[in-house]
Amino acid sequence: MNDLGRVGLEVLEIYGAVCNRVLRVAEAALPEPQFKAFRRLVLDEFGEQGAAKQVKRLFKLSTGNGQERNGVAL
């Protein structure tokens, strides 16, 4: 994997960690039905079909099934 690919994977890793923290805060603050709707919205916008897909495209990472590239889990 080239340097650009490694940077892309690092960006996605940071991105995923931040998204998880946002979801944990929302889970603590919202009633369950509202949290489920919020989680779905966040994952739609920022997940594999949203911004993460754009980041992968920008760094020329695999966008096939969203699971791995060159044996590295995304």
Side-chain angles (χ1 to χ4, degrees), residues 38-69:
F38 180 78
R39 181 180 184 275
R40 189 171 33 254
L41 174 68
V42 167
L43 294 177
D44 285 349
E45 292 299 319
F46 297 103
E48 291 298 322
Q49 297 305 312
K53 186 176 186 178
Q54 294 172 3
V55 169
K56 287 180 180 182
R57 191 175 301 129
L58 175 68
F59 287 99
K60 298 180 177 23
L61 298 171
S62 173
T63 57
N65 64 9
Q67 297 300 309
E68 61 179 76
R69 168 153 167 91

Side-chain angles (χ1 to χ4, degrees), residues 3-16 61 74:
D3 289 340
L4 184 62
R6 280 189 282 280
V7 170
L9 290 176
E10 288 181 36
V11 168
L12 287 170
E13 188 175 313
I14 292 167
Y15 187 78
L61 298 171
L74 299 177

